[in-house]
Amino acid sequence: MDLPQLKTKRLRLRPLTYNDTDRIFEIFSNPDVTRYWGHDTLEEKEEANEFIQRTISGSKDESLLEWGIISNQNQELIGTCALSGLDQEHHRAEVGFALHPQYWGNGYMIEALPAILRFGFIKLKLHRIEADVDPRNSSSINLLEKFNFQKEGLMRERYFINGEIQDALFYGLLRSEFKRF
C-alpha cells in the first residue's frame, strides 16, 4: 500500500524515509520515550535504519502502517504514529504512537490520533482498533480514553523491556464508538 499523507491543522503525517534515520534514532534512543514503548531503547543508529526498513516493508505487505509526524511550524519529525498487526480477516489493527519529549504536553497526539483512527475506520474499513499500554503510562491512557477507547483487560507481567517486567492494559475502540473529532 502506498501510505498516504494525512494532514491536520498543525501536523503532516507522512511515510518514513531513510532521511529520517537520525531523528528516529534521537527519539527512540531516549529512555523517556521507550519506557513504555514495547521494545528496548535503540542503542545504535543502524537500529533506526532497521526500524525504517520494517515500516517500508510493513507498508508494502500492509501489516504495518507507520507515519512520521511532522510539525508544520518547523518541518521537523516530532514522532510516529502507526497501525500495526493489521488483520483484514477480522477487520482490526493496533494503534501505537510516540513523540519526542520536547513536544510532549502540546496536544500534538490529540491532533494526530484522530487522523489515524479516521484512516483506519473509514479507508481501511476496520471494525476495531486496539491499544496496548503500560498501566503507569497515564498520558497515553488519558489520550486513549479521550477518544472513547474502552479498557478491556490487564495482562500481568507481559513484557520484559529494558531489563524491567511490565504489565499491559488492553484498550479497544469499535467503529460504532468512534467519535469523529
Side-chain angles (χ1 to χ4, degrees), residues 44-130:
E44 298 180 18
K45 201 172 285 188
E46 180 56 33
E47 293 172 300
N49 269 328
E50 292 166 4
F51 177 98
I52 292 168
Q53 178 56 49
R54 280 192 303 276
T55 70
I56 292 169
S57 297
S59 184
K60 286 180 184 171
D61 68 16
E62 299 185 15
S63 63
L64 169 65
L65 305 179
E66 184 125 21
W67 288 266
I69 302 171
I70 310 300
S71 165
N72 288 340
Q73 183 178 20
N74 60 16
Q75 299 305 309
E76 188 169 52
L77 178 76
I78 65 171
T80 65
C81 197
L83 290 172
S84 63
L86 285 147
D87 184 334
Q88 296 298 333
E89 180 182 359
H90 299 290
H91 307 279
R92 69 174 179 245
E94 183 174 335
V95 69
F97 41 83
L99 278 180
H100 189 288
Q102 172 184 348
Y103 296 94
W104 290 355
N106 293 301
Y108 289 115
M109 286 312 305
I110 290 171
E111 194 170 323
L113 186 58
I116 300 297
L117 296 176
R118 277 191 302 276
F119 182 82
F121 286 127
I122 296 167
K123 177 73 173 166
L124 299 178
K125 299 186 180 358
L126 296 175
H127 175 72
R128 174 183 172 80
I129 297 178
E130 303 168 343

Side-chain angles (χ1 to χ4, degrees), residues 131-133 150-155 158-159 168-172:
D132 168 350
V133 61
Q150 303 299 304
K151 187 180 342 178
E152 297 179 337
L154 171 72
M155 293 189 80
R158 184 162 198 255
Y159 295 110
L169 278 175
F170 279 82
Y171 279 80

